Amino acid sequence: MKHLLLPDESPRRLPFYLAMEEWAARRMPPCEYFFAWRTRPTVICGRHQDMDKEVDMAYCRAHGIDVVRRRSGGGCVYADMNNWMFSYITPSDEVTSTFGRYTAMMSAMLSSLGFDVAATGRNDLFIGGRKVAGNAFYHLPGRSIVHGTMLYDIDFDTMSHAITPGRAKLESKGVKSVSSHVTCLKAEGIKMSVEDFGRYAIEHLTDGKPIVLSPAQLAEIEEIEKGYYDPAFLAGRFKDLSEKHLPEIVRDRRIEGVGEFSTAITLDEERHIRTVAISGDYFITGDIDTEIISRLKGIRYDSGEIAEALADCDPENVIPGLKREQLLSLLI
């Protein structure tokens, strides 16, 4: 696996590294690529999460914490200079095998340091029953990107205040707070510094022949980075104020092994569906607008009409693990 290396180690704002993944997937020859990075305090929201529900925005503003959105699904993550972020780009486009290879590599790396690691749930690595790494996934044409956080050390108080996960998610995991669900390598007894751990991970996972990016390549990445600051991208699909006067049906539900969902459906005066928003920490491998949401717009809010509109829809092609009956339960 090839190591992508920046010409200097000055930390950048987090969207630069997300753009670097995109750039590598779109511009580099087919191969497996990897890079590791750290950043200033930042909350990273999943592609389909409603920031206002998942993040204490006032707290983040008051404490100088960036809040950004990534293109992959999954839940919110808090990152700072005391933990590492890893990016893996591969020509594989199959979610299960790609996740499996990535988590196997990370588990082997941590096991080589003496940790007893378990891959649990959709995307997490656990030590002693507590999460030490969470990962997310998305497709680009002919490529896949897996990125994740590895908690070396963390300010649990800041993280617990910045991220406000839904009650259903916490109850499903049998915990009462964010901090009781996570651990970090320092708490688990790692014997090396955060810098040394990052170097060790890179040496363990790559071939030792880094590809150093040029100034021209950095400029291309910075151009992609601008898209991550677009207000429309940051807001997602949850800020259409023009629909706020319409009747709205809201459902919140967690589906084990798939994710947490919040569905909001607005209706016109004759109970036809005007808008559908499905937010949450689920992963996605298809076009949710084309395959699901567009089928529902304009039809009456009626269980029979909704079922008929989705009769030939296989939601597992869009949201891994989501059965048709489960999708209907989110809507009806």
Side-chain angles (χ1 to χ4, degrees), residues 58-76:
Y59 178 89
C60 289
R61 284 192 294 269
H63 292 80
I65 300 170
D66 277 354
V67 181
V68 303
R69 188 183 296 280
R70 61 182 186 266
R71 298 196 187 281
S72 60
C76 285

PDB file of all heavy atoms in Angstrom, residues 58-76:
ATOM      1  N   ALA A  58     -23.833  25.850  19.703  1.00  0.00           N
ATOM      2  CA  ALA A  58     -23.455  26.984  20.546  1.00  0.00           C
ATOM      3  C   ALA A  58     -22.173  26.669  21.321  1.00  0.00           C
ATOM      4  O   ALA A  58     -21.277  27.517  21.436  1.00  0.00           O
ATOM      5  CB  ALA A  58     -24.598  27.338  21.494  1.00  0.00           C
ATOM      6  N   TYR A  59     -22.092  25.460  21.850  1.00  0.00           N
ATOM      7  CA  TYR A  59     -20.884  25.061  22.583  1.00  0.00           C
ATOM      8  C   TYR A  59     -19.669  25.082  21.658  1.00  0.00           C
ATOM      9  O   TYR A  59     -18.591  25.573  22.033  1.00  0.00           O
ATOM     10  CB  TYR A  59     -21.073  23.666  23.179  1.00  0.00           C
ATOM     11  CG  TYR A  59     -19.862  23.146  23.918  1.00  0.00           C
ATOM     12  CD1 TYR A  59     -19.688  23.413  25.269  1.00  0.00           C
ATOM     13  CD2 TYR A  59     -18.893  22.385  23.270  1.00  0.00           C
ATOM     14  CE1 TYR A  59     -18.565  22.954  25.953  1.00  0.00           C
ATOM     15  CE2 TYR A  59     -17.774  21.917  23.939  1.00  0.00           C
ATOM     16  CZ  TYR A  59     -17.618  22.210  25.275  1.00  0.00           C
ATOM     17  OH  TYR A  59     -16.498  21.746  25.943  1.00  0.00           O
ATOM     18  N   CYS A  60     -19.824  24.543  20.459  1.00  0.00           N
ATOM     19  CA  CYS A  60     -18.699  24.495  19.525  1.00  0.00           C
ATOM     20  C   CYS A  60     -18.238  25.893  19.135  1.00  0.00           C
ATOM     21  O   CYS A  60     -17.031  26.168  19.071  1.00  0.00           O
ATOM     22  CB  CYS A  60     -19.073  23.686  18.287  1.00  0.00           C
ATOM     23  SG  CYS A  60     -19.230  21.917  18.617  1.00  0.00           S
ATOM     24  N   ARG A  61     -19.183  26.796  18.882  1.00  0.00           N
ATOM     25  CA  ARG A  61     -18.797  28.173  18.551  1.00  0.00           C
ATOM     26  C   ARG A  61     -18.055  28.822  19.712  1.00  0.00           C
ATOM     27  O   ARG A  61     -17.039  29.494  19.518  1.00  0.00           O
ATOM     28  CB  ARG A  61     -20.041  28.989  18.198  1.00  0.00           C
ATOM     29  CG  ARG A  61     -20.604  28.697  16.810  1.00  0.00           C
ATOM     30  CD  ARG A  61     -21.642  29.735  16.410  1.00  0.00           C
ATOM     31  NE  ARG A  61     -22.820  29.657  17.253  1.00  0.00           N
ATOM     32  CZ  ARG A  61     -23.893  28.915  16.976  1.00  0.00           C
ATOM     33  NH1 ARG A  61     -23.920  28.180  15.870  1.00  0.00           N
ATOM     34  NH2 ARG A  61     -24.926  28.901  17.788  1.00  0.00           N
ATOM     35  N   ALA A  62     -18.548  28.628  20.923  1.00  0.00           N
ATOM     36  CA  ALA A  62     -17.937  29.261  22.093  1.00  0.00           C
ATOM     37  C   ALA A  62     -16.537  28.732  22.371  1.00  0.00           C
ATOM     38  O   ALA A  62     -15.696  29.451  22.933  1.00  0.00           O
ATOM     39  CB  ALA A  62     -18.832  29.054  23.318  1.00  0.00           C
ATOM     40  N   HIS A  63     -16.257  27.493  21.976  1.00  0.00           N
ATOM     41  CA  HIS A  63     -14.968  26.874  22.277  1.00  0.00           C
ATOM     42  C   HIS A  63     -14.075  26.726  21.055  1.00  0.00           C
ATOM     43  O   HIS A  63     -13.050  26.023  21.111  1.00  0.00           O
ATOM     44  CB  HIS A  63     -15.189  25.505  22.939  1.00  0.00           C
ATOM     45  CG  HIS A  63     -15.783  25.601  24.322  1.00  0.00           C
ATOM     46  ND1 HIS A  63     -17.127  25.793  24.539  1.00  0.00           N
ATOM     47  CD2 HIS A  63     -15.196  25.549  25.555  1.00  0.00           C
ATOM     48  CE1 HIS A  63     -17.354  25.851  25.847  1.00  0.00           C
ATOM     49  NE2 HIS A  63     -16.213  25.707  26.482  1.00  0.00           N
ATOM     50  N   GLY A  64     -14.421  27.385  19.967  1.00  0.00           N
ATOM     51  CA  GLY A  64     -13.558  27.381  18.792  1.00  0.00           C
ATOM     52  C   GLY A  64     -13.429  26.036  18.114  1.00  0.00           C
ATOM     53  O   GLY A  64     -12.391  25.725  17.520  1.00  0.00           O
ATOM     54  N   ILE A  65     -14.492  25.224  18.170  1.00  0.00           N
ATOM     55  CA  ILE A  65     -14.477  23.895  17.554  1.00  0.00           C
ATOM     56  C   ILE A  65     -15.129  23.975  16.175  1.00  0.00           C
ATOM     57  O   ILE A  65     -16.282  24.405  16.049  1.00  0.00           O
ATOM     58  CB  ILE A  65     -15.227  22.872  18.435  1.00  0.00           C
ATOM     59  CG1 ILE A  65     -14.565  22.778  19.810  1.00  0.00           C
ATOM     60  CG2 ILE A  65     -15.268  21.508  17.766  1.00  0.00           C
ATOM     61  CD1 ILE A  65     -15.367  21.971  20.826  1.00  0.00           C
ATOM     62  N   ASP A  66     -14.403  23.593  15.133  1.00  0.00           N
ATOM     63  CA  ASP A  66     -14.980  23.547  13.788  1.00  0.00           C
ATOM     64  C   ASP A  66     -16.077  22.489  13.720  1.00  0.00           C
ATOM     65  O   ASP A  66     -15.987  21.442  14.389  1.00  0.00           O
ATOM     66  CB  ASP A  66     -13.909  23.180  12.759  1.00  0.00           C
ATOM     67  CG  ASP A  66     -13.081  24.377  12.325  1.00  0.00           C
ATOM     68  OD1 ASP A  66     -13.407  25.511  12.723  1.00  0.00           O
ATOM     69  OD2 ASP A  66     -12.097  24.176  11.584  1.00  0.00           O
ATOM     70  N   VAL A  67     -17.105  22.725  12.918  1.00  0.00           N
ATOM     71  CA  VAL A  67     -18.126  21.722  12.632  1.00  0.00           C
ATOM     72  C   VAL A  67     -18.217  21.606  11.117  1.00  0.00           C
ATOM     73  O   VAL A  67     -18.508  22.586  10.431  1.00  0.00           O
ATOM     74  CB  VAL A  67     -19.491  22.094  13.229  1.00  0.00           C
ATOM     75  CG1 VAL A  67     -20.518  21.002  12.917  1.00  0.00           C
ATOM     76  CG2 VAL A  67     -19.383  22.305  14.737  1.00  0.00           C
ATOM     77  N   VAL A  68     -17.937  20.417  10.589  1.00  0.00           N
ATOM     78  CA  VAL A  68     -17.908  20.206   9.143  1.00  0.00           C
ATOM     79  C   VAL A  68     -18.714  18.957   8.804  1.00  0.00           C
ATOM     80  O   VAL A  68     -19.134  18.202   9.688  1.00  0.00           O
ATOM     81  CB  VAL A  68     -16.455  20.072   8.624  1.00  0.00           C
ATOM     82  CG1 VAL A  68     -15.640  21.312   8.989  1.00  0.00           C
ATOM     83  CG2 VAL A  68     -15.773  18.823   9.171  1.00  0.00           C
ATOM     84  N   ARG A  69     -18.908  18.752   7.507  1.00  0.00           N
ATOM     85  CA  ARG A  69     -19.626  17.572   7.031  1.00  0.00           C
ATOM     86  C   ARG A  69     -18.730  16.806   6.072  1.00  0.00           C
ATOM     87  O   ARG A  69     -17.978  17.399   5.298  1.00  0.00           O
ATOM     88  CB  ARG A  69     -20.925  17.979   6.320  1.00  0.00           C
ATOM     89  CG  ARG A  69     -21.822  16.790   5.972  1.00  0.00           C
ATOM     90  CD  ARG A  69     -23.067  17.236   5.201  1.00  0.00           C
ATOM     91  NE  ARG A  69     -23.937  18.101   5.962  1.00  0.00           N
ATOM     92  CZ  ARG A  69     -24.818  17.701   6.879  1.00  0.00           C
ATOM     93  NH1 ARG A  69     -24.912  16.400   7.163  1.00  0.00           N
ATOM     94  NH2 ARG A  69     -25.579  18.554   7.511  1.00  0.00           N
ATOM     95  N   ARG A  70     -18.808  15.473   6.126  1.00  0.00           N
ATOM     96  CA  ARG A  70     -18.064  14.634   5.185  1.00  0.00           C
ATOM     97  C   ARG A  70     -19.036  14.024   4.185  1.00  0.00           C
ATOM     98  O   ARG A  70     -20.254  14.109   4.365  1.00  0.00           O
ATOM     99  CB  ARG A  70     -17.291  13.541   5.922  1.00  0.00           C
ATOM    100  CG  ARG A  70     -18.161  12.582   6.713  1.00  0.00           C
ATOM    101  CD  ARG A  70     -17.345  11.544   7.474  1.00  0.00           C
ATOM    102  NE  ARG A  70     -18.214  10.557   8.102  1.00  0.00           N
ATOM    103  CZ  ARG A  70     -18.649  10.619   9.346  1.00  0.00           C
ATOM    104  NH1 ARG A  70     -18.289  11.632  10.132  1.00  0.00           N
ATOM    105  NH2 ARG A  70     -19.437   9.669   9.832  1.00  0.00           N
ATOM    106  N   ARG A  71     -18.511  13.392   3.148  1.00  0.00           N
ATOM    107  CA  ARG A  71     -19.356  12.813   2.101  1.00  0.00           C
ATOM    108  C   ARG A  71     -19.790  11.381   2.433  1.00  0.00           C
ATOM    109  O   ARG A  71     -20.660  10.835   1.757  1.00  0.00           O
ATOM    110  CB  ARG A  71     -18.633  12.850   0.759  1.00  0.00           C
ATOM    111  CG  ARG A  71     -18.319  14.266   0.319  1.00  0.00           C
ATOM    112  CD  ARG A  71     -17.970  14.350  -1.134  1.00  0.00           C
ATOM    113  NE  ARG A  71     -17.524  15.689  -1.495  1.00  0.00           N
ATOM    114  CZ  ARG A  71     -18.327  16.732  -1.720  1.00  0.00           C
ATOM    115  NH1 ARG A  71     -19.633  16.570  -1.640  1.00  0.00           N
ATOM    116  NH2 ARG A  71     -17.832  17.907  -2.020  1.00  0.00           N
ATOM    117  N   SER A  72     -19.208  10.789   3.440  1.00  0.00           N
ATOM    118  CA  SER A  72     -19.592   9.435   3.840  1.00  0.00           C
ATOM    119  C   SER A  72     -20.716   9.484   4.863  1.00  0.00           C
ATOM    120  O   SER A  72     -20.974  10.508   5.493  1.00  0.00           O
ATOM    121  CB  SER A  72     -18.381   8.701   4.428  1.00  0.00           C
ATOM    122  OG  SER A  72     -17.892   9.393   5.560  1.00  0.00           O
ATOM    123  N   GLY A  73     -21.379   8.329   5.044  1.00  0.00           N
ATOM    124  CA  GLY A  73     -22.396   8.216   6.069  1.00  0.00           C
ATOM    125  C   GLY A  73     -21.770   7.973   7.431  1.00  0.00           C
ATOM    126  O   GLY A  73     -20.593   8.222   7.658  1.00  0.00           O
ATOM    127  N   GLY A  74     -22.591   7.461   8.355  1.00  0.00           N
ATOM    128  CA  GLY A  74     -22.096   7.220   9.704  1.00  0.00           C
ATOM    129  C   GLY A  74     -22.410   8.386  10.626  1.00  0.00           C
ATOM    130  O   GLY A  74     -23.102   9.330  10.252  1.00  0.00           O
ATOM    131  N   GLY A  75     -21.890   8.291  11.846  1.00  0.00           N
ATOM    132  CA  GLY A  75     -22.211   9.263  12.881  1.00  0.00           C
ATOM    133  C   GLY A  75     -21.165  10.328  13.074  1.00  0.00           C
ATOM    134  O   GLY A  75     -20.119  10.340  12.421  1.00  0.00           O
ATOM    135  N   CYS A  76     -21.451  11.244  14.002  1.00  0.00           N
ATOM    136  CA  CYS A  76     -20.527  12.336  14.316  1.00  0.00           C
ATOM    137  C   CYS A  76     -19.275  11.809  14.997  1.00  0.00           C
ATOM    138  O   CYS A  76     -19.316  10.856  15.787  1.00  0.00           O
ATOM    139  CB  CYS A  76     -21.197  13.345  15.240  1.00  0.00           C
ATOM    140  SG  CYS A  76     -22.402  14.395  14.435  1.00  0.00           S
TER     141      CYS A  76
END
